[in-house]
Amino acid sequence: MLFNSHIFLFLFLPLVLAGWYFLNYIRKFKLAQGYLAGMSLWFYAYFNIRYLWMLLVSCLIGYLLCLWMEKTVSDRGRKGIVAIGCLFHIGMLGYFKYSNFFLENINAVFGTDFSLLTVLMPVGISFYTFQQLAYLVDLYRGDAPLCSPLDYLTFMVYFPQILQGPILRYEEMVPQFREEKRRHFDAERFAKGMQHFTIGLSKKVLLADTLAKAVNLGYGNISMLDCPSAILTAVGYLFELYFDFSGYCDMAVGLGKMIGIEIIENFDSPFKSASVKEFWRRWHITLGRFFTKYVYIPLGGSRKGKFRTVLNTLIIFLLSGLWHGANWTFVFWGLLHGIGVAWDSLDFFHLPKKWMRQAVTFLYVCLAFVFFRAETISQGFLVLKAMVTPKWNGFLFQMGEALDISELYILTKAISMKAPSLLNPVNLIFLLLLFAISIIVLAGKRASAIVEQAVMNRRYAFAFAFLFAWSVLSMAGVSTYIYFSF
């Protein structure tokens, strides 16, 4: 079930809110939490019922490992349980996500002919796998206590964040289940949640999904790209990815506020970063935190000299790349970001002005993300080549036409009938205007700052109501989230 779908907005969410607040109102707190967990399982099962059984098996075995950990006294035995947990969770993730990738590479390297498996990757497995691993390790280290089965299930399947994160830790969610004040309806908190959700919905529907039309045309016709269209294709994908993923996370934060079980933000204006290292402190914050806390620091972090710091950084980003997808393009993308972060860590050279460092950082990140989107590494280099080759063939006009903005249908139809020669320039203007709006949004405040600093009045309320209605009316097209694939 998608957040940007009518069934979610007009059936699922009202049922969740009504049942949750009613059961809490009559002080059936455990039943209310069970209801929330049950609705979360329905939300997840809506995609495919087979996904649900895999999730439940993962949670059951994950919790049994936690129980075993709690009853084990010796450090050696507890370490063994962590090892078993890693083998189970990572093994499950590896089977569903990487089995065919490894088989394809074995066949390519050794000339074998192993048949590929028919594997259906469960949505969100990369996120709930890491969240369960993090909790198991925290339990081993004494950073978190053992929670009840209901708390564990709700923690792992909470519907606002199960599909795309954030990847949360125990102290960021479970203690909220015991705060009675969160069980009662709070009008101010609920209003802020609606505003946060609306911002995320508009970023996803109005910006990400519209940009995707032009970007998909560009990456689907790489041989046709000239210099300006290649640049807009690369930049457009980075914008699309950000609005898609951060839009989802903003909606998740908003939903959390509406329910009262809040989740943390996952983005902090990453395109204002003045270094690649800073970019990764602001982009997909909880994933970076997971790799830092559970992999980078145990490897030695930056405590064992510059060589080990660089090596550990590269390992982290290679793993991050592989986590994102079973393709060498993701590994190469991770390597590029690892090199960028390692360079920043070595502190060799800095440009004198902040805006210069921000511009160079954006350029480097944008070029690296070309390989994140490309189907092959060689295809990514073709896009980069097109970006630096002085050439114009008018492909931008086709990218503008691909937007096919329904709100402008009457205008474009009239132009096509009365002055067809103006249609291409008008479509190009719409394309450039879309990029200009995207840049303005990126340069502005993040969603939480807008919501917290806003002064509620009629104009403000009307603006959000209009934005919500516009987003809902624009949800007619087929849409999904990019990170569902990861």
Side-chain angles (χ1 to χ4, degrees):
M1 192 180 301
L2 301 177
F3 291 164
N4 56 313
S5 65
H6 296 98
I7 188 174
F8 177 84
L9 291 175
F10 302 116
L11 177 62
F12 179 84
L13 185 57
L15 287 176
V16 168
L17 295 172
W20 168 254
Y21 282 116
F22 173 74
L23 291 171
N24 282 311
Y25 177 75
I26 61 175
R27 305 189 66 81
K28 300 293 184 180
F29 297 137
K30 288 294 184 182
L31 185 59
Q33 188 173 332
Y35 178 79
L36 182 61
M39 293 297 284
S40 296
L41 292 174
W42 173 35
F43 172 85
Y44 188 79
Y46 185 83
F47 291 100
N48 189 320
I49 191 66
R50 285 182 290 177
Y51 294 163
L52 177 62
W53 302 117
M54 297 171 193
L55 171 64
L56 291 174
V57 167
S58 177
C59 289
L60 175 61
I61 295 179
Y63 189 71
L64 290 175
L65 287 169
C66 293
L67 284 176
W68 189 11
M69 176 77 73
E70 187 70 8
K71 295 179 180 180
T72 303
V73 178
S74 70
D75 186 61
R76 183 177 179 181
R78 292 165 67 85
K79 284 182 179 178
I81 295 170
V82 171
I84 293 171
C86 289
L87 286 173
F88 169 72
H89 289 299
I90 295 177
M92 192 171 178
L93 178 63
Y95 173 77
F96 287 107
K97 192 168 182 177
Y98 303 105
S99 54
N100 283 330
F101 174 68
F102 289 123
L103 288 174
E104 287 172 352
N105 283 279
I106 289 172
N107 288 340
V109 173
F110 298 103
T112 53
D113 191 25
F114 292 115
S115 299
L116 299 184
L117 304 176
T118 303
V119 179
L120 188 65
M121 187 178 75
V123 175
I125 188 172
S126 298
F127 293 92
Y128 66 71
T129 293
F130 272 24
Q131 189 155 300
Q132 291 192 80
L133 271 176
Y135 178 65
L136 182 64
V137 173
D138 285 349
L139 192 64
Y140 161 74
R141 293 175 175 174
D143 294 337
L146 179 69
C147 59
S148 69
L150 180 57
D151 283 349
Y152 185 87
L153 181 64
T154 313
F155 178 29
M156 297 306 166
V157 306
Y158 187 47
F159 77 90
Q161 54 85 222
I162 185 175
L163 300 179
Q164 293 188 200
I167 301 168
L168 301 177
R169 298 184 62 200
Y170 170 91
E171 67 271 16
E172 293 168 337
M173 179 175 284
V174 178
Q176 295 186 65
F177 300 153
R178 304 186 181 93
E179 296 179 33
E180 187 174 331
K181 65 179 181 179
R182 294 187 175 277
R183 304 293 187 120
H184 301 297
F185 182 80
D186 183 302
E188 182 180 356
R189 183 185 64 205
F190 190 87
K192 288 181 178 179
M194 289 183 65
Q195 295 164 39
H196 220 125
F197 182 87
T198 299
I199 292 173
L201 182 65
S202 60
K203 285 164 69 175
K204 164 60 180 170
V205 175
L206 302 180
L207 293 177
D209 287 353
T210 307
L211 283 164
K213 298 175 183 178
V215 170
N216 291 341
L217 181 68
Y219 274 100
N221 298 273
I222 290 177
S223 61
M224 294 292 293
L225 293 177
D226 55 14
C227 178
S229 61
I231 291 172
L232 286 191
T233 296
V235 174
Y237 177 69
L238 188 55
F239 288 177
E240 177 203 349
L241 180 65
Y242 173 76
F243 289 132
D244 185 282
F245 194 17
S246 72
Y248 175 95
C249 291
D250 285 339
M251 284 187 273
V253 171
L255 290 167
K257 289 181 182 297
M258 283 187 247
I259 295 168
I261 308 298
E262 301 185 35
I263 60 179
I264 63 174
E265 294 191 64
N266 211 13
F267 289 88
D268 182 15
S269 302
F271 296 123
K272 297 179 182 179
S273 304
S275 69
V276 180
K277 189 174 185 179
E278 182 185 354
F279 176 83
W280 278 102
R281 287 198 297 265
R282 293 168 171 263
W283 175 283
H284 206 338
I285 296 169
T286 57
L287 178 66
R289 180 184 67 181
F290 177 92
F291 278 115
T292 299
K293 182 178 177 64
Y294 301 106
V295 184
Y296 180 74
I297 292 176
L299 286 175
S302 57
R303 304 187 305 274
K304 297 186 178 182
K306 288 187 175 181
F307 175 77
R308 280 295 298 274
T309 298
V310 171
L311 179 61
N312 292 340
T313 299
L314 292 177
I315 290 172
I316 290 303
F317 278 94
L318 287 171
L319 289 175
S320 176
L322 191 60
W323 177 87
H324 277 88
N327 194 312
W328 287 111
T329 54
F330 296 113
V331 177
F332 187 64
W333 167 83
L335 175 63
L336 291 176
H337 278 282
I339 292 171
V341 173
W343 176 268
D344 292 334
S345 299
L346 293 174
D347 200 26
F348 279 149
F349 172 74
H350 283 299
L351 292 167
K353 301 291 186 179
K354 184 179 179 180
W355 69 265
M356 295 179 180
R357 298 195 297 273
Q358 289 175 321
V360 171
T361 299
F362 179 83
L363 176 62
Y364 186 86
V365 168
C366 184
L367 296 179
F369 268 96
V370 167
F371 297 96
F372 194 88
R373 175 60 173 81
E375 294 182 4
T376 63
I377 293 176
S378 60
Q379 190 182 80
F381 278 112
L382 288 176
V383 175
L384 298 187
K385 181 181 178 182
M387 293 172 69
V388 298
T389 302
K391 176 185 174 183
W392 165 263
N393 60 15
F395 191 72
L396 274 180
F397 294 128
Q398 296 184 44
M399 292 177 66
E401 183 182 2
L403 294 180
D404 190 27
I405 302 173
S406 58
E407 293 87 341
L408 302 172
Y409 173 77
I410 295 177
L411 175 61
T412 54
K413 187 66 176 178
I415 293 173
S416 66
M417 294 175 64
K418 298 296 184 180
S421 61
L422 295 179
L423 191 57
N424 278 341
V426 169
N427 284 330
L428 180 56
I429 290 172
F430 291 153
L431 178 67
L432 297 178
L433 184 60
L434 176 62
F435 274 81
I437 293 171
S438 299
I439 292 170
I440 291 171
V441 173
L442 292 173
K445 299 176 182 178
R446 59 179 180 169
S448 59
I450 295 173
V451 171
E452 292 300 326
Q453 297 172 14
V455 178
M456 183 57 68
N457 53 40
R458 289 184 179 181
R459 182 181 299 178
Y460 184 80
F462 175 80
F464 266 91
F466 176 79
L467 198 59
F468 178 80
W470 186 9
S471 300
V472 171
L473 291 173
S474 298
M475 292 190 324
V478 177
S479 175
T480 186
Y481 290 94
I482 296 175
Y483 261 74
F484 277 6
S485 304
F486 308 139

